[in-house]
Each structure stands twice: as C-alpha cells, then as structure tokens.
Amino acid sequence: MHPTKPVSRMGSTLMACAASAAAVAAVGLTALPASAAPAKPAAATQVRPGDACTAADLGTRHPHIKTTEVTPEITHFKGWYVTEGSTGQQNVTTSTQTTVTVSVGLNGTVQGSFAVETLATVGASLGLNVQVQYSSTSSASNSVTWNFGRPGHYGVYKGTKKVTGTYASLNCNRVRQGDGSWALKWIEGPGSGGFTTYTTLEEGAVRCEDKVPVNSIMAKAQGLLDCGPAAAKAGHPAAAVAPTAKRTQDRPVQRPAPAGGTSAEQPKATGPSARAALNCEPGAYRLDVPGKPLNWSAPLLANDGIRLRESTFFSAHLDNWRLCNVTENNGVIEASLWNWGNGGCATVPADIANQEQAYLTTATCGEDDLQRFHIYRDVPGSSKIGLQNKYTGSMMGYDRYADGELIRQYSSGRQDGTGTFTLTGV
C-alpha cells in the first residue's frame, strides 16, 4: 500500500534530526503477561489542569473529577411487624431492593491503574471511603440480625451511599504562553466518562415513628415503609410484610451491564472495513526511545506485535512510519500510523482492546478508532512525544527496555517515563 496525496503542513512541526536505517522484522508473539498488580490509590497531591509537567509525563495521564453526586441507596429491604411478646433478637431475610456496581466508564469493571486512580481521587475529594476495586452490592448477604426492643412496624434494611459523577483525562502537552513562549502543562485531553462506586454497607431497622436525619440511609429505608394509620396496628405476629404497590413502583429498573469491553471514555469503534484512502504526511519517522538505539518496528508476521528493535540494513522499512489523516484539536494531534514496511496501520487488537497491557500490532488500514492515536508533544525544538489510543484511552509504552519487547497499552501510562518516545524524521 502506498499513501496518497501527502500533506505537508505537519512536517515542519514534527520533523527532528535525520536518523539511520530501520529495525529487524519481529517474529513470534509472546503470551500476554499476567494482569498488572492493583494500582496504588491516588497520591495526596492531585494533578490539576494547568499544572506544570515534564517530557517524562508525555506518555502518562491522570483523572480529573468534574462532577460528583452522593445519594443514599437501599440495597436490601424487608418490612417487619414486631408485636408484644415477639421482641428481642431476630434474624430477618431481606430481599434485594437495588444493586450498586462499581464501574468506571462503560466497561462495567474496574481494570487498570487509571480506573483505580479515578475512584481513589473521588474518595479523597469527598472524604469518603469508597470501593476502588470492582464489586457489587448483590454479593452481600441478605440476612440481617437485629435486636428489636419494642413493638412496631419496622423496615429492616441494608444500604449504602452511592457515589456517581464524571471525569476528564488530564494529559501532558505543550501550551503556548501569553508571552509567546511554550511550556508543558497538564491539559484536559479527549478522554472523558462517568463512574459509579459506593461506601461501606450499613444495616439496621427503622420504625415509622423514629426521627431520623434527612437524606440519610435510614431515612431512605423509612420512606419504603407504609407509615399510614394501618401500619400502626400491631395485630400481626412478627413476620414479613408483603411489598406494597408504592415500594414496587419505587424500585429502580435493573439494567444489564454493558456486554463488551469498550473504553469508558471513547466513542464506539467502527467495525472492520476495507483499507481507507489515506492522506499521509510526506515525511517518514522512526518512533525512538529517546537517546537509545531501539525503536518501534512493525511485525513481519500477521500474528505478531509491534516491538522495540534496533535499526539495521535488513529492517526493510518496518521501522518507518507515516502520519496519516492528521487533524489537530486544541494543540493535540490525532493521526493514523501507517507502516512503510508492511503497509498496515498501528492498532490495538479488537478482541483484547479492553485489557490492560494489550499489545499493539498492525492491521489493514480502515476507518476505525482503534487505529487512531492522540499525539502529545514537547515544546518546539524537542521531538519527544506521548501516544494515546483514541478508542481505549490508554497510553503506549513498554515493560522494560529490551530488544524484542512488545509495545503495550497502559491505562495511566508508564510513570517511569518509558511511555515517552521521539519522533525522528527519516
């Protein structure tokens, strides 16, 4: 495949010094590593829009919490009559009222360091101890043991504080200053989405006549009781109260969790298609590790991935890349990466796109957000960049600096700077 009608407007801004020949073809795709260890909660000092960053941060990102809402939620409930002579400790089996499941974005799970950091940041900003790993209130026991000290009509419950909101993605990029100079700062990148989490479950029993705090979990449970004149009659033995029409109507509709592994913050990717007509920049580039000889090399075999290789005479242009269908929005470039050696476009495989540390490979070029990358740049005069997949929102990097190491996606990037590359003109 050859690019059509090269566009020249980006060449001058991205071109760095000329480089040497290209990398050896990659062979043999190794198995994906085990899932990354759970990320540590966000640090006490949070990154904020406009804060300064460094070139090592170009390949990283952090969450920025935009909105939050905290509401009481009853997860398990049972109406219960207690009469004279039936007081004391009783075990009540409740039924599920609603289910709260922890999620970040549309995945329905919490996977990767970015999701964990998002929830940890939420908890820190609200002063609440929220769940930062995937969990669901449906897994909680529905049994409540309570000591009923007096007769009455009780609502026996388990409940939590449901925390929802939205977030943005903060990325490091160059920003033009008022005096015309440039600086690296954290900006709101293209990624955004929503989150849901909850606090520790509490359980209890509440009567109609109890005075309870407004907007509390207990008040929410009390609202599920029928506290009219009929309810005050204690003519029933201690037993469950059948759900009323009001409580049935109040129960929220249970919606199934999303079935795919699509990204929280990106639009839905398009399906496979024939190779798209590409508008490519005239220059070709190497994606180098700064100051070191290894660079991105496309696979020669279809079942292999993009690896770090050293350029040699036999590289056959597998380490030469062109930027195609280039757009720019608020200083952030978006482009497809077309490989001169095998004619494919860099992509995250669709079947593993939802996985932390999924490897990068090449495929037939098409209209697909899995093949689009946001490029974050250092100040003019430097060719250092960070790359983020548009669909998954993850940053590109590698586990260790070694010949043959696969390029992978990391939801928050690599905090040790190994997600920063150099765009070197060939």
Side-chain angles (χ1 to χ4, degrees):
M1 180 186 77
H2 298 283
T4 59
K5 297 182 181 179
V7 179
S8 61
R9 63 183 176 83
M10 291 301 302
S12 60
T13 58
L14 295 176
M15 182 74 75
C17 59
S20 55
V24 180
V27 290
L29 181 64
T30 58
L32 286 173
S35 299
K40 295 179 180 179
T45 302
Q46 299 298 327
V47 173
R48 300 181 183 278
D51 287 353
C53 54
T54 69
D57 296 317
L58 290 170
T60 65
R61 68 170 181 156
H62 294 281
H64 172 53
I65 306 305
K66 303 281 285 185
T67 63
T68 57
E69 183 178 6
V70 181
T71 56
E73 201 72 59
I74 301 302
T75 60
H76 303 77
F77 184 84
K78 180 73 73 175
W80 198 253
Y81 283 113
V82 176
T83 63
E84 292 286 356
S86 63
T87 55
Q89 183 169 294
Q90 297 184 39
N91 184 271
V92 180
T93 300
T94 64
S95 58
T96 300
Q97 177 73 16
T98 190
T99 298
V100 182
T101 300
V102 179
S103 66
V104 177
L106 300 178
N107 280 343
T109 60
V110 178
Q111 186 179 88
S113 56
F114 183 82
V116 172
E117 185 181 358
T118 298
L119 297 178
T121 303
V122 171
S125 65
L126 295 175
L128 295 174
N129 183 21
V130 302
Q131 302 295 320
V132 296
Q133 300 288 356
Y134 175 76
S135 62
S136 174
T137 58
S138 64
S139 61
S141 166
N142 65 349
S143 177
V144 175
T145 300
W146 198 257
N147 187 22
F148 296 94
R150 63 183 68 179
H153 181 204
Y154 288 85
V156 182
Y157 67 90
K158 287 188 178 184
T160 185
K161 291 180 180 178
K162 180 180 178 182
V163 183
T164 58
T166 59
Y167 64 86
S169 174
L170 290 186
N171 293 80
C172 183
N173 195 52
R174 68 185 190 185
V175 175
R176 192 75 174 254
Q177 306 283 76
D179 61 0
S181 63
W182 295 84
L184 284 177
K185 293 187 176 182
W186 292 105
I187 65 167
E188 285 195 23
S192 62
F195 61 84
T196 299
T197 185
Y198 61 92
T199 59
T200 303
L201 284 173
E202 70 173 53
E203 62 183 40
V206 61
R207 301 181 307 154
C208 290
E209 54 268 43
D210 290 338
K211 301 297 183 183
V212 298
V214 177
N215 202 35
S216 64
I217 296 173
M218 186 178 290
K220 184 84 171 183
Q222 192 180 56
L224 296 179
L225 282 171
D226 293 323
C227 291
K233 297 178 181 179
H236 303 279
V241 180
T244 65
K246 177 182 182 300
R247 292 207 301 273
T248 303
Q249 292 170 1
D250 285 344
R251 290 178 182 173
V253 176
Q254 300 289 319
R255 292 182 172 83
T262 58
S263 163
E265 53 272 334
Q266 303 301 339
K268 186 177 180 180
T270 57
S273 62
R275 179 183 66 82
L278 297 176
N279 250 353
C280 295
E281 299 297 317
Y285 303 90
R286 281 207 327 260
L287 293 168
D288 295 320
V289 176
K292 297 181 180 180
L294 300 182
N295 53 78
W296 288 28
S297 181
L300 185 61
L301 303 177
N303 65 341
D304 198 10
I306 296 171
R307 297 175 181 271
L308 289 178
R309 296 290 190 187
E310 187 171 359
S311 296
T312 73
F313 178 78
F314 303 102
S315 297
H317 296 298
L318 289 171
D319 61 349
N320 290 175
W321 302 86
R322 282 184 171 173
L323 305 183
C324 303
N325 294 349
V326 178
T327 61
E328 184 172 346
N329 185 27
N330 293 329
V332 179
I333 293 172
E334 181 185 315
S336 297
L337 304 177
W338 176 80
N339 186 262
W340 192 350
N342 70 10
C345 284
T347 187
V348 179
D351 59 337
I352 58 172
N354 65 323
Q355 296 181 14
E356 183 80 351
Q357 297 191 45
Y359 66 89
L360 197 62
T361 187
T362 57
T364 302
C365 298
E367 294 290 335
D368 192 335
D369 282 348
L370 282 169
Q371 297 182 3
R372 300 290 287 173
F373 293 85
H374 299 300
I375 300 176
Y376 300 93
R377 295 171 287 174
D378 199 355
V379 298
S382 168
S383 55
K384 292 181 179 179
I385 62 169
L387 295 103
Q388 177 185 33
N389 186 265
K390 180 179 181 179
Y391 179 62
T392 68
S394 294
M395 311 301 294
M396 300 299 111
Y398 52 89
D399 280 343
R400 74 183 195 279
Y401 180 77
D403 184 61
E405 186 69 17
L406 285 163
I407 302 297
R408 302 181 185 276
Q409 67 171 4
Y410 301 84
S411 57
S412 291
R414 300 285 287 171
Q415 304 303 317
D416 59 1
T418 52
T420 296
F421 300 96
T422 301
L423 198 64
T424 305
V426 177

